[in-house]
Amino acid sequence: MATETTEMLTRIIGGQDELKAGQTEIASALAAHSEILRLLAEQLSIVIEKLTPAPGDGPTMQELLAELVARVGDNGALLRRIDRRTDSMATSLPDDVVRAVRGAFGANGNGTAAGHGANGSVAP
């Protein structure tokens, strides 16, 4: 029984050593990632600084974003208007056009091949 306990303690200590080694690897990876993120943040701040005009030297980022949002909103309104017009066109087609479309060659099994004229009437 003492041998089993000793073996169990030895395995536990070995597992703890593996955990410590793994923690060391994780800590070094986190340190490397932190350094990379710091460098990226520095580079990003340089890019933002270069893109931001001096006061009075052009539009600010807020003005540019506001313009973009306004244009997207205008496009949305235009698309809704186009959708409404398309829907109204579909519902207000003259009956003659609908008959002509239905009677076109091969449409819905009708047409000149079925003994009908282009307007859906019976061919003479």
Side-chain angles (χ1 to χ4, degrees):
M1 182 142 174
T3 315
E4 290 178 13
T5 305
T6 306
E7 288 178 13
M8 192 177 289
L9 287 174
T10 304
R11 279 190 271 167
I12 290 173
I13 292 171
Q16 287 177 342
D17 291 340
E18 288 179 28
L19 284 174
K20 287 179 185 175
Q23 288 173 341
T24 304
E25 287 180 37
I26 291 171
S28 65
L30 284 174
H33 291 163
S34 296
E35 182 63 22
I36 291 170
L37 287 174
R38 186 187 63 75
L39 291 172
L40 287 173
E42 286 177 7
Q43 292 173 352
L44 184 60
S45 66
I46 290 170
V47 168
I48 289 173
E49 182 182 323
K50 296 219 183 258
L51 289 176
T52 304
D57 197 25
T60 64
M61 292 292 267
Q62 288 82 7
E63 292 170 342
L64 290 173
L65 287 173
E67 179 67 23
L68 287 172
V69 168
R71 288 186 184 203
V72 168
D74 291 344
N75 287 340
L78 176 66
L79 289 174
R80 283 191 296 278
R81 213 169 36 239
I82 290 171
D83 283 345
R84 282 194 300 270
R85 285 185 185 168
T86 305
D87 287 342
S88 70
M89 285 172 55
T91 58
S92 66
L93 283 174
D95 291 335
D96 294 339
V97 174
V98 173
R99 279 194 299 275
V101 169
R102 285 185 182 156
F105 177 74
N108 297 326
N110 296 325
T112 56
H116 295 89
N119 65 356
S121 62
V122 176

